[in-house]
Amino acid sequence: VPHPELADAHYSISLLYEKIKDYSKALSHLQISIDMLSSLEDPESSQLLVKALADRERIRKLEMENMNSTQRIEKANSLKTQGNTFYKYSNLQRAQECYKSALMYVSNCIGNEARDIKLSLYNNFALCEYKLSNYEKAIEYANKGLEINSTNLKLLFRKSQALSELGRYDRS
């Protein structure tokens, strides 16, 4: 059972790591704090959760500013792998959080490796949205991937599945 004091301690540790510019450790402790705070229901924990989520985005941006393209691609791959693990255990929300973060790291990268990661992430997003019965969103993510590679079979399949669920057979 998570304790508010432990979540607060991890949050404080994350801020200390941020001050010494060890963003990876800061994000790690921040994620532990977020995970704990997510399961608590008191108002004080809810306020800290909102703050921690905002800090996570801010620290990710700081981390990205200090990375070259190769490091950003490696980080994106690592986050994609984490997301795939969450997906495997049916934690679609956490999977999508990882995919979103991965996409953030690789969004400005160019080259075949970056393109392939983006395609995979959009496919994974489309699949998660499909599994959540968010068919319009699944189509949106499939379309984003298809903008990169209009002949990607997985993305075409995901889009077709979602269109079929919406009864739009003429487009699927």
Side-chain angles (χ1 to χ4, degrees):
V1 175
H3 296 283
E5 297 83 18
L6 192 54
D8 190 48
H10 278 284
Y11 179 77
S12 297
I13 291 168
S14 75
L15 297 179
L16 292 173
Y17 275 117
E18 178 192 5
K19 285 185 187 218
I20 61 169
K21 299 184 188 226
D22 190 338
Y23 302 120
S24 181
K25 287 183 182 172
L27 288 168
S28 179
H29 282 278
L30 202 49
Q31 189 60 53
I32 292 168
S33 179
I34 289 168
D35 290 342
M36 290 179 176
L37 292 167
S38 295
S39 63
L40 299 171
E41 296 180 10
D42 61 287
E44 191 175 308
S45 295
S46 295
Q47 289 176 338
L48 185 57
L49 177 60
V50 169
K51 189 173 179 184
L53 289 168
D55 284 342
R56 181 177 65 184
E57 294 307 308
R58 183 180 52 75
I59 293 171
R60 280 188 179 143
K61 288 177 183 173
L62 289 171
E63 181 182 49
M64 281 193 309
E65 289 173 5
N66 293 291
M67 295 176 136
N68 62 36
S69 289
T70 302
Q71 293 169 320
R72 291 174 105 177
I73 288 170
E74 288 173 4
K75 181 73 172 191
N77 269 323
S78 173
L79 287 163
K80 185 181 97 168
T81 300
Q82 288 176 27
N84 292 347
T85 301
F86 284 120
Y87 177 85
K88 180 180 174 183
Y89 291 102
S90 299
N91 191 336
L92 301 180
Q93 181 180 355
R94 285 296 304 274
Q96 287 182 306
E97 288 174 15
C98 290
Y99 300 148
K100 178 183 176 188
S101 296
L103 195 56
M104 193 169 86
Y105 278 91
V106 78
S107 64
N108 294 327
C109 296
I110 57 172
N112 290 339
E113 192 175 6
R115 185 201 73 225
D116 291 346
I117 294 169
K118 291 174 193 177
L119 283 171
S120 180
L121 291 167
Y122 284 127
N123 180 59
N124 293 353
F125 268 123
L127 179 59
C128 285
E129 294 294 357
Y130 179 81
K131 294 277 186 182
L132 293 166
S133 301
N134 297 330
Y135 305 120
E136 291 290 346
K137 277 284 199 189
I139 293 166
E140 181 182 322
Y141 284 118
N143 283 337
K144 285 182 180 185
L146 291 168
E147 288 174 15
I148 298 169
N149 179 350
S150 62
T151 62
N152 184 284
L153 293 178
K154 280 187 175 182
L155 288 165
L156 289 167
F157 178 67
R158 299 276 179 249
K159 182 177 178 179
S160 178
Q161 284 181 304
L163 286 167
S164 292
E165 289 293 334
L166 293 171
R168 292 162 44 190
Y169 303 109
D170 57 325
R171 295 187 181 174
S172 64

